[in-house]
Amino acid sequence: MDWWQGYVDAALLGTDRRRPAPPKETNESDDLISLVRDLDWSQPEAALLSVAGVVGQYQQVGRCVKQNESVGSSIAPCEPDTQPCCSDRIAQYLGVAMQEYPEAVPELLDLMASMGQRVPPKWLPKLLTFGCRQLDLQTQIGAVLGHRGRWLAARNPDWRYGCVVQNNDMQADDATDSVAEIQRLQKQWQLDTSRERCLALQQWRKVDPETAREALCESWKAESWRDREAFLSALATGLSLYDEDFLESALSDRAKSVRASTAQLLATLPESGLCQRMAERSRAFVRVYGDGRQLCIEVALPEQFEPDWGRDGIVKKPLSGEGERAGWVRQMLAKTPLSVWMAEPMQLAKTAAAHEWRDVLINGWAAAIQRQRSAVAATGEAVEWAIAWLSELGVYDLDEAMACELLLLLPVDRREAYLRSQLPKDANHHNIAHWLRLVSAISQRWDFAFSQLVLSQLMQLLKGKAKYGDLFSPPISLALSLHPGLAAQAAQTVNNLTQNQYPTRAWQKFLDRFLGLLSLRWEIYQAYADSS
């Protein structure tokens, strides 16, 4: 708007030096010009302020479409929303969470989706923009957009991920809905950007894994290596032996990262050719024989790295601090079906723990349990293997990440019982911090009683004046795992403690963030309880 510059000059120089006047003929919207001309120009100061208001509203709303433009006629109107809208109170909490506590947004979106609710229209732009930065939340966001949200997402290229994910209200036995869903995902797969195509492929795998894989096969060679790697992660949804031929061919991909991701996928299928090849290699270097207390394990390290090992995902130079040859055996064990070892898991763990090649055996088999959890769980062996490793080794001897993976194989009540059994026996703040990290890393919502126990351990750590770095970096994971009903008690406990013992600046920052998030979660749950 070139004519607007004259009013800017009048505001800067003063109306006595640059007297504003109605605009001349321009190409701007007739409606806007008409509004500006109708102002009372006998009072230049008032007119100038009115122009600023009119133009500000014009810029906020947008521009009028010219007569020769047919944009409006090409946009189909939005379908009426059938989902109920969440309350204004919940929407306000969503705004607070996005602004101050983004870690709380996933839980709030899950609550909203579980109630079959959608986001109010005025919050849609902010939530869709938020999803552009939080890629892992795009599926959850898509579930609460409603028809209007998806219609709006289609208007902005940055928001198009919202068009991919529909509400999970399609009945599996409804053939009409199923066909329509597949057709919609096929269209998304062909037209959208890489991120949206990856989401579409993942959704497509849920309803028709075979056709989705075939579509990926057709475009595979034309995709960039980054996209091929991303599409493999989507292929993990609904993974089965029907995908083996395609994955075997991808083991020869020109990109190293794609080959590694492919090998990881095949290693989760115990009956795959890759796992069978690994079993042959493992048996050549690890021999298990005997029974019960007479169980024996013999380990013979390979002399050289064979050329075909690399294709199946064995890295020639393993982890830092690990011998090369020992690392090769560990990697073989990690991708060998657990059924190969004809021994009781508990006895195998006990024997491995006392073996001279303890780290190779324990870490290799623990990785195999984690990788094959879906297949092993189907036979009921997952819990048995996980309990054996956790019982014989304990959380303080296992790598934290591995201990978390094994704990996730247990039923919820067994996890809590095990963590109670592993509670530090003394006030050693290193052990307390290790235990708290494990509690929070599992990403589980604990019940009220166990949450009180966790809070007492946190306070024990604070009493010991432990260094902030000895705890765990963000306080968010712990605040998300505790029962939200503990918010008031936690605030009172912290207040009583800090009155007698002034915390360090780092601890104070931790506690403020911890209590703030816990309090927000409690208010959200209270809001839903009140609405019910």
Side-chain angles (χ1 to χ4, degrees):
M1 295 182 292
D2 295 336
W3 57 270
W4 168 245
Q5 186 60 44
Y7 299 116
V8 175
D9 294 341
L12 293 174
L13 299 174
T15 55
D16 55 337
R17 298 179 60 187
R18 179 67 63 86
R19 186 178 180 85
K24 299 178 181 180
E25 293 292 336
T26 69
N27 293 326
E28 298 294 333
S29 163
D30 292 339
D31 291 338
L32 176 64
I33 299 299
S34 177
L35 284 171
V36 174
R37 285 177 178 164
D38 289 343
L39 298 174
D40 183 5
W41 290 98
S42 64
Q43 302 291 329
E45 294 86 355
L48 186 61
L49 291 173
S50 298
V51 169
V54 169
V55 173
Q57 289 292 326
Y58 169 79
Q59 291 176 331
Q60 187 174 11
V61 172
R63 66 179 180 84
C64 294
V65 179
K66 296 180 181 179
Q67 293 290 334
N68 60 353
E69 293 186 35
S70 58
V71 177
S73 60
S74 65
I75 301 177
C78 173
E79 298 178 44
D81 271 308
T82 54
Q83 284 178 275
C85 193
C86 74
S87 67
D88 290 339
R89 185 177 169 190
I90 293 296
Q92 290 294 333
Y93 286 136
L94 177 61
V96 172
M98 286 190 289
Q99 183 68 31
E100 300 179 23
Y101 296 98
E103 301 85 358
V105 173
E107 185 176 16
L108 179 50
L109 293 177
D110 284 342
L111 278 170
M112 200 179 296
S114 68
M115 300 291 287
Q117 296 176 344
R118 59 181 170 86
V119 177
K122 68 178 182 180
W123 288 96
L124 289 172
K126 188 170 185 178
L127 181 60
L128 285 165
T129 301
F130 181 81
C132 294
R133 302 187 301 270
Q134 304 285 339
L135 301 183
D136 56 331
L137 288 183
Q138 291 183 350
T139 298
Q140 290 171 277
I141 290 173
V144 298
L145 291 178
H147 292 312
R148 183 177 299 195
R150 287 188 287 277
W151 180 90
L152 187 63
R155 314 275 82 79
N156 186 332
D158 293 336
W159 296 347
R160 286 192 62 83
Y161 71 86
C163 306
V164 179
V165 183
Q166 299 279 18
N167 300 321
N168 296 322
D169 55 2
M170 186 186 71
Q171 299 298 322
D173 57 350
D174 193 325
T176 303
D177 283 352
S178 180
V179 171
E181 174 74 354
I182 293 172
Q183 290 175 343
R184 182 184 69 83
L185 292 171
Q186 284 176 325
K187 184 177 179 181
Q188 301 291 157
W189 168 254
Q190 294 168 356
L191 299 179
D192 284 335
T193 60
S194 299
R195 175 60 189 169
E196 284 69 52
R197 291 179 70 212
C198 191
L199 277 173
L201 182 63
Q202 188 176 39
Q203 296 294 314
W204 196 355
R205 289 281 292 179
K206 292 180 181 179
V207 294
D208 189 358
E210 301 296 318
T211 308
R213 185 192 64 250
E214 291 172 3
L216 179 60
C217 289
E218 291 176 3
S219 67
W220 183 256
K221 292 183 179 179
E223 309 289 354
S224 68
W225 71 266
R226 293 183 185 276
D227 287 346
R228 295 200 303 276
E229 187 175 357
F231 294 150
L232 281 176
S233 65
L235 199 69
T237 302
L239 187 69
S240 70
L241 283 176
Y242 291 109
D243 304 311
E244 185 181 12
D245 289 343
F246 167 71
L247 292 174
E248 278 287 340
S249 65
L251 283 175
S252 302
D253 194 271
R254 58 186 180 274
K256 181 179 178 180
S257 61
V258 174
R259 297 195 300 271
S261 297
T262 303
Q264 296 287 3
L265 281 179
L266 285 169
T268 65
L269 298 171
E271 296 179 3
S272 67
L274 182 143
C275 284
Q276 299 308 312
R277 293 192 293 274
M278 287 294 180
E280 292 182 14
R281 294 164 184 152
S282 292
R283 281 193 290 251
F285 304 111
V286 178
R287 182 180 172 223
V288 177
Y289 60 94
D291 194 14
R293 294 185 179 181
Q294 304 302 316
L295 187 72
C296 294
I297 304 175
E298 290 183 358
V299 177
L301 301 183
E303 293 297 328
Q304 62 182 9
F305 189 89
E306 300 296 334
D308 62 326
W309 292 358
R311 184 177 183 273
D312 285 346
I314 298 179
V315 180
K316 187 173 183 179
K317 292 192 177 295
L319 301 173
S320 176
E322 182 181 44
E324 280 193 352
R325 298 191 300 158
W328 302 338
V329 175
R330 175 187 55 78
Q331 293 177 77
M332 292 174 190
L333 291 176
K335 295 178 180 177
T336 295
L338 295 168
S339 58
V340 167
W341 315 107
M342 305 298 291
E344 290 292 329
M346 192 72 74
Q347 192 60 44
L348 195 64
K350 183 177 295 186
T351 306
H355 201 278
E356 61 175 321
W357 293 106
R358 177 187 187 278
D359 291 344
V360 172
L361 298 172
I362 290 298
N363 293 330
W365 276 323
I369 298 170
Q370 186 271 325
R371 279 201 178 98
Q372 299 170 39
R373 58 179 177 233
S374 297
V376 176
T379 62
E381 294 178 299
V383 174
E384 184 181 2
W385 277 90
I387 288 177
W389 253 243
L390 291 168
S391 300
E392 289 300 324
L393 300 165
V395 295
Y396 302 105
D397 290 333
L398 281 170
D399 174 76
E400 282 186 22
M402 191 63 70
C404 288
E405 293 290 348
L406 295 176
L407 274 168
L408 288 172
L409 292 173
L410 305 183
V412 174
D413 58 336
R414 297 293 292 271
R415 293 178 204 166
E416 181 179 321
Y418 179 78
L419 286 170
R420 284 180 178 274
S421 71
Q422 297 293 309
L423 196 67
K425 306 300 182 185
D426 51 30
N428 184 312
H429 71 267
H430 290 289
N431 287 344
I432 294 174
H434 182 101
W435 188 84
L436 286 171
R437 282 195 298 270
L438 198 60
V439 167
S440 60
I442 295 174
S443 301
Q444 175 178 312
R445 309 286 189 257
W446 301 107
D447 63 28
F448 192 83
F450 189 74
S451 294
Q452 287 181 309
L453 177 62
V454 174
L455 178 63
S456 69
Q457 291 298 304
L458 179 61
M459 293 303 101
Q460 185 71 27
L461 197 64
L462 183 57
K463 288 177 183 177
K465 299 182 180 180
K467 294 180 181 179
Y468 181 71
D470 286 336
L471 182 56
F472 40 102
S473 57
I476 300 305
S477 53
L478 187 62
L480 287 174
S481 65
L482 297 185
H483 192 288
L486 195 68
Q489 181 182 336
Q492 185 62 48
T493 302
V494 170
N495 182 58
N496 292 340
L497 183 62
T498 53
Q499 283 181 349
N500 302 318
Q501 177 182 327
Y502 187 75
T504 63
R505 183 177 180 180
W507 262 113
Q508 189 62 58
K509 182 179 179 181
F510 169 91
L511 292 171
D512 290 345
R513 188 77 178 164
F514 170 78
L515 293 175
L517 179 55
L518 196 59
S519 176
L520 176 63
R521 292 181 59 226
W522 176 238
E523 291 176 16
I524 291 170
Y525 275 90
Q526 282 290 91
Y528 267 110
D530 293 344
S531 64
S532 298

